[in-house]
Amino acid sequence: MAFPVPSPSSTRSRATILRGCAVVLLLCPLLARADDAQASRLREVGRMAKFVPDVASSRLRTMAWQMAGAPAPLRTDFLYYYSTAERGIGDLTHALDLADQLISFGRRNNDNVALAKGLVARANALYVREDLAGSHATAFEAERVAGLTADVPTKVLATVAAGQSFEEQGDYPAALAKFHAAVDLARQVTTDAAPLAAALHALVLLYLNMGDLDKAAEAQQESLAVARRMASPGHVAAALGDEYALAVEQKAFERGRRALFEELGLERGIGARQMAVTTLVNLSDCYLKEGRFRDAQTYAAQALDAAIDARSNNDVATARVNLGQALLGQGHLSEGKRQFEAGLATYEKQGDKPELLGVLREYGRALEHAGDYKGAVDAYNRERRISSEIFAEQRQKAVLELQQKYEAEKKQRRIDALRQENRAAKAELDNRRLQQRVWWLLAAASALASVIVGMLYRKVRRANAELEEKNVQLKRQGALDPLTLLYNRRHFQDVMARAGDERRTGGDADAGALFLLDVDHFKAINDSLGHAAGDTVLTTVAQRLRVALRDTDLIVRWGGEEFLAFVPAVAPGELEEVALRIMRGVSVQPIEYRHGVVPVSVSVGYAPLPLAFGTTPLTWEQVVNLADMALYLAKSHGRNCAYGIRGFSAAAAVAASLDAIERNLEQAWRAGWVDLAAVRGDASDADMPLPLPAQA
């Protein structure tokens, strides 16, 4: 299974490549020469922003105080590079904040170059956050603003971003026109080859998506030549990745492998860990395509270790699937199926059904080839079930879209009617004023006109108030999960972002704790009773959580059968009591469904917020990750229980990293690095402490 190789079933992967690789080739525009040493240093770090974002982020952070008073061109490129690096390491909140700073800087100084680059940076961050509509609108605005400037590299940058947006929308003719325009613009730049490399890179990938291999090969030949002339390992590695994608489509596997081995050497040389993971995955997949299962196993195992080190869950899942396929190809049924199922579990948890469908199809073929016909039939049945679910979801989505369109048109008609009424009221008021001037001496008529004017004014105000109330209702509905009517994940992220802003500006952000809970055996309920029963369980759990928690607590449908509760203003010593109240509140009695009952319980992981590791305060995302690891402990130690993080020992920050603690929370507890609490959910054993694993 090749993540970056274009194929009919990998549209989302291709889009990720476009956003992840093409735009980064423009990270090195000409800098102002106000300070040559400073500009040279910034340009050097800028080249690293995508390929080795962790190193670039660290260096850019140390340059922040110097850049605060730097000339406008340096300040512009600093904020653009910094946003790109933060996006590369996954800190989307900071990446968006830096992009917004650049947008404000451009508008405040009437600097369209800065404004266009800020808009492109924002569009890229929104894309990674999967806000495609916002990303595309911002990219098109960036192209419009860049067109007002005389800066050709900036025009190329924005034109490529607009072309990518058209491609993601499926409008290939418009995308092709944009990329050709970007290539023509980039040929005008004689002092920097990066704009041309970026435009050619995007053009190659579009031709691959369109299936036009001859034109893709022609563009790729020039793209690779331009990258080699630049003598930039990162740019050459990106071009070699395109060379592999083209070679696979042409069934030239040996040529593709040569490109991958050269690419891997360059990536390791510059420390581009994430790029190296993708290359190792592609190597294992290339060998799988030729049936060389032992070689495929070797590189899939290397890809798995590298993906775990880079903390890339998607690549971990892909590497496990490739490893499982290689083992099955060699007849190792038990271990091969174990690796395949582990990869499938990640896709199932993410809810990526199209990707899961393709993996199950490969699983069935591999099992059939290995002689496990029963397993192949089971995989086929799972594939059919998911295919049916996707069809049902698409049909439901179409119905909902029609309903939403009808409601939108209905609301628009009401708004138009109100506006017409306002215009009529204004005309009536104008007429009454004219009558007042004409009949000034007629007191009775004047009084009557005043009464009518007052009535019309109140009517207009009432109509405007109704319209405002409807707008508030629409905004509130967008923050709710449609099944449980709890807040959704996007609303929680907005709340946390506002809380972060308050902390940065000296405001009083609420302190408390995050509780992450998962319905026990939910998959078994769905499989045995059907999805309608699962929906009943989820809505009932949501109702019971409202009863168990306070009105001031924020309850969120986190995804699937997972819920998240943010409990502000709670003392550290009361967290176990809150966890117990949640578990007992959910399992207070079985849920009635049709003519029977469904027992239900939850497992809980929790942690205080704010929380510090040594002297470093953790972000709310890191606290959620720790709560998720505590939830995993609860699930693996019998379910219907809660594990919570009270804090870290004084030696933890010296003896270990936060990454190591997140990877194995139980081992970290044994080592004395983390203080854990455990609570049993069974009412009958409420007074019995839940034992933690023996500490070494």
Side-chain angles (χ1 to χ4, degrees):
M1 168 181 179
F3 178 71
V5 179
S7 68
S9 62
S10 61
T11 302
R12 186 166 181 262
S13 299
R14 288 196 301 271
T16 303
I17 296 172
L18 284 168
R19 283 293 189 197
C21 295
V23 174
V24 72
L25 299 176
L26 290 167
L27 289 178
C28 304
L30 292 175
L31 297 176
R33 302 184 60 83
D35 186 329
D36 290 342
Q38 203 173 44
S40 176
R41 182 186 174 201
L42 182 58
R43 185 185 300 110
E44 178 186 355
V45 179
R47 292 191 183 100
M48 306 165 60
K50 177 61 185 181
F51 306 122
V52 277
D54 49 348
V55 176
S57 175
S58 176
R59 293 190 182 181
L60 288 165
R61 187 163 51 249
T62 63
M63 297 172 65
W65 66 273
Q66 296 175 325
M67 291 295 115
L74 290 181
R75 178 69 175 165
T76 295
D77 287 324
F78 167 76
L79 289 171
Y80 182 76
Y81 295 149
Y82 202 177
S83 178
T84 301
E86 294 297 276
R87 173 167 50 87
I89 64 176
D91 192 347
L92 298 182
T93 300
H94 195 202
L96 282 168
D97 179 62
L98 290 164
D100 289 341
Q101 288 184 41
L102 183 51
I103 291 170
S104 298
F105 178 78
R107 287 174 174 160
R108 188 169 58 250
N109 294 282
N110 294 321
D111 186 340
N112 284 329
V113 171
L115 178 56
K117 289 183 177 180
L119 289 168
V120 170
R122 180 172 179 79
N124 292 338
L126 289 174
Y127 175 83
V128 177
R129 185 177 272 187
E130 299 185 355
D131 180 2
L132 295 186
S135 174
H136 297 163
T138 307
F140 295 143
E141 175 64 11
E143 184 191 25
R144 186 193 68 79
V145 173
L148 303 175
T149 75
D151 190 275
V152 177
T154 301
K155 288 182 177 180
V156 176
L157 177 73
T159 304
V160 169
Q164 290 168 337
S165 297
F166 279 124
E167 184 172 3
E168 289 151 12
Q169 293 175 349
D171 189 349
Y172 287 175
L176 187 62
K178 292 297 180 185
F179 291 150
H180 276 299
V183 170
D184 292 340
L185 278 170
R187 295 191 194 282
Q188 301 175 19
V189 182
T190 58
T191 56
D192 187 3
L196 181 58
L200 289 169
H201 177 78
L203 185 60
V204 170
L205 293 177
L206 177 61
Y207 278 135
L208 286 173
N209 284 344
M210 295 170 64
D212 193 339
L213 300 186
D214 292 337
K215 290 184 178 179
E218 181 182 347
Q220 170 59 19
Q221 183 177 6
E222 182 180 3
S223 176
L224 186 57
V226 170
R228 291 193 188 281
R229 285 200 303 270
M230 293 174 66
S232 166
H235 290 83
V236 176
L240 288 169
D242 295 346
E243 176 70 14
Y244 164 71
L246 177 62
V248 167
E249 290 297 305
Q250 296 172 330
K251 308 301 181 185
F253 298 114
E254 180 61 33
R255 189 181 97 224
R257 276 198 304 277
R258 286 199 303 270
L260 288 176
F261 281 121
E262 183 182 356
E263 179 185 1
L264 184 62
L266 292 169
E267 290 160 353
R268 285 174 169 169
I270 62 176
R273 295 190 303 164
Q274 183 56 56
M275 293 176 68
V277 170
T278 302
T279 303
L280 288 167
V281 168
N282 285 340
L283 273 169
S284 67
D285 187 77
C286 190
Y287 282 117
L288 284 174
K289 291 181 184 299
E290 293 187 279
R292 297 172 59 175
F293 298 115
R294 186 175 296 276
D295 292 325
Q297 178 185 351
T298 298
Y299 288 101
Q302 291 183 28
L304 179 58
D305 292 338
I308 292 173
D309 180 61
R311 301 182 64 192
S312 176
N313 291 334
N314 284 337
D315 288 320
V316 168
T318 306
R320 288 194 185 280
V321 167
N322 282 6
L323 182 57
Q325 193 170 351
L327 291 167
L328 289 175
Q330 298 175 72
H332 304 309
L333 283 176
S334 177
E335 179 61 17
K337 291 170 73 172
R338 188 181 71 83
Q339 293 292 349
F340 236 117
E341 291 290 348
L344 284 168
T346 298
Y347 292 123
E348 287 177 343
K349 185 172 182 181
Q350 293 175 340
D352 191 349
K353 291 184 179 179
E355 191 72 24
L356 183 60
L357 199 64
V359 175
L360 280 170
R361 193 174 296 117
E362 293 181 2
Y363 192 19
R365 287 198 293 264
L367 290 171
E368 182 180 357
H369 179 78
D372 185 356
Y373 298 110
K374 181 181 181 301
V377 170
D378 290 341
Y380 172 71
N381 289 333
R382 290 166 68 182
E383 178 190 342
R384 284 190 61 189
R385 185 172 67 251
I386 292 174
S387 180
S388 299
E389 290 175 1
I390 292 175
F391 175 76
E393 288 172 357
Q394 289 175 342
R395 182 175 58 189
Q396 183 181 14
K397 181 181 179 182
V399 172
L400 288 174
E401 286 177 351
L402 286 174
Q403 290 176 343
Q404 290 172 354
K405 182 179 180 182
Y406 171 76
E407 291 295 331
E409 291 176 351
K410 183 179 177 182
K411 290 183 177 69
Q412 187 60 47
R413 286 196 297 270
R414 291 193 61 188
I415 292 171
D416 291 341
L418 287 171
R419 287 174 177 169
Q420 182 63 31
E421 201 171 317
N422 286 343
R423 285 194 291 269
K426 184 178 184 299
E428 188 71 19
L429 286 171
D430 291 340
N431 289 335
R432 292 302 177 184
R433 290 193 186 98
L434 180 60
Q435 290 178 14
Q436 287 175 350
R437 284 192 293 269
V438 173
W439 302 99
W440 182 257
L441 299 178
L442 301 176
S446 177
L448 180 60
S450 298
V451 170
I452 295 174
V453 168
M455 291 174 60
L456 290 172
Y457 179 71
R458 286 194 296 273
K459 187 174 182 181
V460 171
R461 290 196 60 183
R462 184 164 59 253
N464 289 336
E466 290 177 359
L467 181 59
E468 184 177 357
E469 182 180 354
K470 292 298 181 182
N471 289 334
V472 171
Q473 290 176 0
L474 289 174
K475 182 177 180 181
R476 186 183 302 114
Q477 290 169 3
L480 297 179
D481 171 60
L483 176 64
T484 63
L485 297 182
L486 296 175
Y487 287 115
N488 56 29
R489 184 187 289 225
R490 182 176 61 185
H491 175 76
F492 175 76
Q493 290 171 336
D494 291 341
V495 170
M496 290 295 102
R498 288 196 298 272
D501 291 339
E502 291 178 3
R503 282 191 289 271
R504 285 192 293 270
T505 57
D508 295 327
D510 287 339
L514 289 173
F515 292 80
L516 195 62
L517 50 139
D518 184 280
V519 179
D520 295 330
H521 305 297
F522 184 76
K523 187 176 184 299
I525 295 173
N526 268 344
D527 292 344
S528 60
L529 299 178
H531 289 279
D535 289 347
T536 300
V537 168
L538 292 176
T539 54
T540 305
V541 169
Q543 293 168 1
R544 292 180 179 180
L545 286 174
R546 291 190 186 96
V547 174
L549 296 172
R550 304 170 301 186
D551 291 341
T552 56
D553 299 334
L554 179 62
I555 310 173
V556 179
R557 170 96 181 273
W558 195 241
E561 67 270 27
E562 286 189 331
F563 297 84
L564 181 142
F566 172 55
V567 181
V570 60
E574 298 175 359
L575 300 188
E576 288 75 20
E577 179 184 344
V578 175
L580 184 60
R581 189 164 71 243
I582 289 173
M583 291 187 290
R584 289 185 178 177
V586 170
S587 61
V588 62
Q589 63 183 21
I591 296 173
E592 295 183 2
Y593 180 70
R594 293 184 179 172
H595 302 296
V597 294
V598 181
V600 63
S601 64
V602 294
S603 301
V604 181
Y606 60 91
L609 182 71
L611 179 65
F613 182 67
T615 59
T616 303
L618 303 184
T619 65
W620 68 265
E621 292 95 336
Q622 291 172 313
V623 176
V624 169
N625 286 341
L626 289 169
D628 192 31
M629 294 305 300
L631 172 60
Y632 174 78
L633 277 183
K635 300 289 281 188
S636 61
H637 284 83
R639 297 183 172 86
N640 194 19
C641 60
Y643 280 79
I645 297 172
R646 290 172 173 158
F648 302 97
S649 67
V654 178
S657 67
L658 185 61
D659 288 344
I661 292 175
E662 287 181 341
R663 281 197 297 270
N664 197 327
L665 186 61
E666 187 171 332
Q667 182 179 351
W669 181 84
R670 289 197 185 104
W673 298 336
V674 61
D675 183 10
L676 284 182
V679 181
R680 188 186 301 277
D682 294 334
S684 59
D685 299 325
D687 296 331
M688 297 176 58
L690 187 65
L692 287 163
Q695 193 168 6

